[in-house]
Amino acid sequence: MASEATQPGAGVWAPNVRVLSHLIGGEHVAGASSRFGDVYDPSTGAVQAKVPLATTAEVQAAIANAEAAQVEWGAQNPQKRARVLLRFLELVAKDTKNLARLLSSEHGKTVPDAIGDIQRGVEVVEFAAGAPHLLKGEYTTGAGTGIDVYSLRQPLGVVAGITPFNFPAMIPLWKAGPALAAGNAFILKPSERDPSVPLRLAELFLEAGLPAGVLNVVNGDKEAVDAILHDDRVKAVGFVGSTPIAQYIYETAAANGKRAQCFGGAKNHMIVMPDADLDQVADALIGAGYGSAGERCMAISVAVPVGEETADALAAKLAERAKDLKVGPALGEDNDYGPLVTAEAKQRVEHYIQVGIDEGATLLADGRGHTVPGYENGFYLGPTLFDHVTPEHTIYREEIFGPVLIIARAKDYEEALSLPSTHEYGNGVSIFTRDGDTARDFAARVNTGMVGVNVPIPVPIAYHTFGGWKRSGFGDLNQHGPDAFRFYTKTKTVTSRWLSHDVREGASFVIPTMH
């Protein structure tokens, strides 16, 4: 996965800076492009690794390996493929603590949060291990005289996943687990910001018995992405990231005849009804808004209290809790959340905070200038809280992706319902109430893909499907659950008839019907 090295022509890197590789054909392959990205330790601000950025030729080599390996892998029966997944799960269980620390050191989320990242990915692989059942087709006997009709689910061939920095274990496993179980070969292009865990997971798949070449990891930037999108051998692409890139990948993949499921940004609201327990609500919002420094596509970033009395009381509770949050290094003990992933990510969020102030929102807590003794160069932001935010404010319209929670007050239930329903993003939404009729009406009418009722982060369990609406999702099929197997397979329908040798019906010029 890594080695200590110097890079010719680029000077000497510090002795403790790891040099990462690609994983192609079951072997670690050094980068050939002479282009490298910096992998930071967000807690200290130091560069801890260099990741090679693949050339088009390197991506094509990975695809060629995948195409060659997929034939035998896809021909294996689903039960044998599932056994590889089960052995992989055993290896991950033994290595979870090490994986979590590695993940935290590159991303910045706390170790308990990193364990959750891994576990959420594991749960989808557990579901995918049910491939023998999930790949069963349909069968109709006697559809016509002597005619049977049945369907087969067959792998697409070579498929790819382009995954984000904020869940470097979960999202690669959400993509690779079902794809491999369905008999495909998989090209993973992880985020160049925190690539070590995806590489380690690929190593564990190999240890579990996955044939070399069935899973290849190529690190890279737009050149690698475009090489995947324009290669005819890649039949489907899955992506999670920002909306502009999601749309670009979806449109480019479609133009090149590929299936695509691409998930973008979010602006998740939590509706707070006057009958809700405000202490429960405040605790839920603090965790859902500030956990993982807000770098979650399912983070709640907009609290929508209904009525001025509810809003005043909630704002006071949130401000009180926010000032007590403990922000520190990812590997530290008892921290509520850690740093952002890069200095650029921190600067971007700080820019939004200033925009919110300039546009007249009420700043109740300012996270800028937060420092941690001994970690002064880390990418830290304290919790930031705005009140009296309206749909006209930039910080309401746009995804901030940081520890910034805003309060957008609604005068009544209908106004509260309209806010998430009319926002350009439609990923997730939550409502807190003690009234079952209100909750039921809200779940039925709100225009978003995922809904929580007294649940702050409504991420469905692995055997249901995950996906947002509007500009949060591009494509007809969602992630994990049965949709994953629909996405990674093609359906072949067979109409079969066996006639006795002495039957002669003659030519028919009428379209066949079942009568």
Side-chain angles (χ1 to χ4, degrees), residues 34 51 59 89 99 143 148 156 190 200 226 231 237 243 249 263 279 281 288 300 336 338 350 367 369 441 453-454 486:
S34 77
V51 59
V59 175
L89 292 170
L99 284 166
D148 302 322
L156 299 178
R200 179 61 185 145
D226 285 342
D231 196 303
V237 178
T243 286
I249 291 175
F263 298 94
D279 286 314
V281 169
I300 293 292
D336 294 308
E350 288 175 332
D441 180 79
V453 176
N454 298 320
R486 297 185 186 104

Side-chain angles (χ1 to χ4, degrees), residues 89-317:
L89 292 170
E90 292 176 359
L91 294 173
V92 171
K94 293 177 182 178
D95 206 30
T96 294
K97 290 183 179 179
N98 292 329
L99 284 166
R101 292 183 67 84
L102 180 60
L103 193 159
S104 294
S105 72
E106 289 188 352
H107 175 274
K109 65 178 66 178
T110 64
V111 172
D113 197 24
I115 291 173
D117 184 332
I118 296 162
Q119 179 60 29
R120 273 292 189 170
V122 160
E123 290 167 3
V124 170
V125 179
E126 289 172 341
F127 172 76
H133 172 73
L134 294 161
L135 293 172
K136 290 191 300 186
E138 300 171 323
Y139 195 100
T140 299
T141 185
T145 304
I147 294 177
D148 302 322
V149 180
Y150 60 94
S151 62
L152 310 172
R153 285 200 175 275
Q154 297 183 326
L156 299 178
V158 179
V159 298
I162 301 165
T163 59
F165 76 87
N166 60 323
F167 284 98
M170 183 181 81
I171 302 298
L173 292 177
W174 281 15
K175 302 294 187 186
L180 296 172
N184 300 284
F186 194 79
I187 307 294
L188 174 62
K189 205 300 287 181
S191 171
E192 63 274 23
R193 298 180 189 176
D194 46 10
S196 292
V197 167
L199 280 165
R200 179 61 185 145
L201 292 172
E203 292 174 343
L204 293 178
F205 267 115
L206 290 171
E207 290 181 37
L210 189 70
V214 174
L215 172 59
N216 298 278
V217 182
V218 287
N219 297 295
D221 52 10
K222 188 175 185 295
E223 181 177 348
V225 170
D226 285 342
I228 290 169
L229 293 176
H230 291 282
D231 196 303
D232 291 340
R233 294 168 293 181
V234 177
K235 304 303 180 185
V237 178
F239 171 81
V240 177
S242 69
T243 286
I245 299 176
Q247 184 169 354
Y248 168 77
I249 291 175
Y250 180 76
E251 292 174 350
T252 307
N256 284 278
K258 305 182 194 304
R259 291 186 182 183
Q261 51 171 202
C262 300
F263 298 94
K267 201 70 177 179
N268 305 311
H269 296 58
M270 180 190 289
I271 312 305
V272 182
M273 297 302 294
D275 65 341
D277 183 320
L278 290 189
D279 286 314
Q280 290 180 353
V281 169
D283 288 341
L285 278 168
I286 289 291
Y290 298 120
S292 197
E295 292 177 323
R296 294 171 177 160
C297 67
M298 291 298 289
I300 293 292
S301 54
V302 184
V304 185
V306 175
E308 290 299 314
E309 183 178 347
T310 304
D312 289 342
L314 180 61
K317 289 180 182 294

Side-chain angles (χ1 to χ4, degrees), residues 34 54 67 82 121 165 181 202 210 236 242 244 254 275 288 325 333-334 341 353 373 385 396 428 435 450 468 500:
S34 77
E67 186 178 42
F165 76 87
L210 189 70
S242 69
D275 65 341
L325 291 182
E333 298 291 332
D334 302 323
V341 67
I353 294 171
L385 178 65
Y396 176 83
D435 186 286
M450 292 171 283
S500 300

Side-chain angles (χ1 to χ4, degrees), residues 41-46 339-340 346 370 372 375-381:
D41 178 347
S43 297
T44 67
L340 279 79
K346 175 186 174 184
H370 182 90
V372 179
Y375 297 87
E376 287 79 7
N377 294 322
F379 310 137
Y380 299 98
L381 272 176

